[in-house]
Amino acid sequence: QLRWIEEVPPSHWEEIVKEAEGCCFFHTPAWAHIVEKTYGYRTATRLFEIDGTQVLLPMMEEPLHGIRVYHSMPFGYWGNISREDLTADRVYAIVESVIQGRTFQFTLNCPPFFD
């Protein structure tokens, strides 16, 4: 079972980042706010719940030539954030739910050696 919300409260976002392994400032809503105000991106972060596990997928939206381009995080490493380890099947289900049959570009920037 998969459900998600688009408007992630910053306090909940911060809580997940603090509890997840390997996170840094570039994973926070503060960094998203900086990118939004400086470069004109729109925060498009989503919080997923899949089989009882919460997964934060920080994203920024950039309008480009009439389409929406999504970045996991411009100018930094991002990826998905969870308090628990994620299986490849769960990550695939999340990405598939973001796409929903639409055509758009989605770039997922992960740190070196990210598994």
Side-chain angles (χ1 to χ4, degrees), residues 13 17 23-29 31-32 58 72-78 81:
W13 182 344
V17 168
C23 292
C24 65
F25 176 73
F26 297 107
H27 299 105
T28 66
W31 177 247
S72 61
M73 177 45 64
F75 319 111
Y77 298 123
W78 211 279
I81 300 168

Side-chain angles (χ1 to χ4, degrees), residues 42 44 59-61 68-72 104-107:
R42 184 187 74 81
M59 294 188 293
M60 302 301 286
E61 179 185 284
R68 293 180 290 179
V69 178
Y70 291 89
H71 304 272
S72 61
F104 63 82
Q105 177 182 341
F106 180 80
T107 305

Side-chain angles (χ1 to χ4, degrees), residues 8 11 21 24 31 33 41 43 46 52 55 60 62 70-72 75 77 86-87 105-106 112:
V8 183
S11 60
E21 187 176 320
C24 65
W31 177 247
H33 180 75
Y41 289 79
T43 300
R46 292 186 179 157
V55 181
M60 302 301 286
E62 173 188 25
Y70 291 89
H71 304 272
S72 61
F75 319 111
Y77 298 123
L86 298 174
T87 64
Q105 177 182 341
F106 180 80

Side-chain angles (χ1 to χ4, degrees), residues 1-85:
Q1 184 178 4
L2 174 73
R3 62 188 187 100
W4 55 271
I5 61 169
E6 277 189 45
E7 299 296 324
V8 183
S11 60
H12 191 64
W13 182 344
E14 284 283 345
E15 180 183 314
I16 292 172
V17 168
K18 285 179 185 175
E19 293 177 9
E21 187 176 320
C23 292
C24 65
F25 176 73
F26 297 107
H27 299 105
T28 66
W31 177 247
H33 180 75
I34 290 168
V35 171
E36 197 171 59
K37 295 301 179 193
T38 305
Y39 298 100
Y41 289 79
R42 184 187 74 81
T43 300
T45 295
R46 292 186 179 157
L47 179 64
F48 292 85
E49 187 173 305
I50 183 165
D51 300 327
T53 300
Q54 286 191 337
V55 181
L56 186 70
L57 183 57
M59 294 188 293
M60 302 301 286
E61 179 185 284
E62 173 188 25
L64 185 65
H65 308 298
I67 62 171
R68 293 180 290 179
V69 178
Y70 291 89
H71 304 272
S72 61
M73 177 45 64
F75 319 111
Y77 298 123
W78 211 279
N80 51 53
I81 300 168
S82 179
R83 296 175 181 118
E84 301 175 30
D85 289 334

Side-chain angles (χ1 to χ4, degrees), residues 77-101:
Y77 298 123
W78 211 279
N80 51 53
I81 300 168
S82 179
R83 296 175 181 118
E84 301 175 30
D85 289 334
L86 298 174
T87 64
D89 290 340
R90 285 183 176 176
V91 172
Y92 181 80
I94 289 168
V95 171
E96 189 174 59
S97 75
V98 170
I99 295 171
Q100 296 179 359

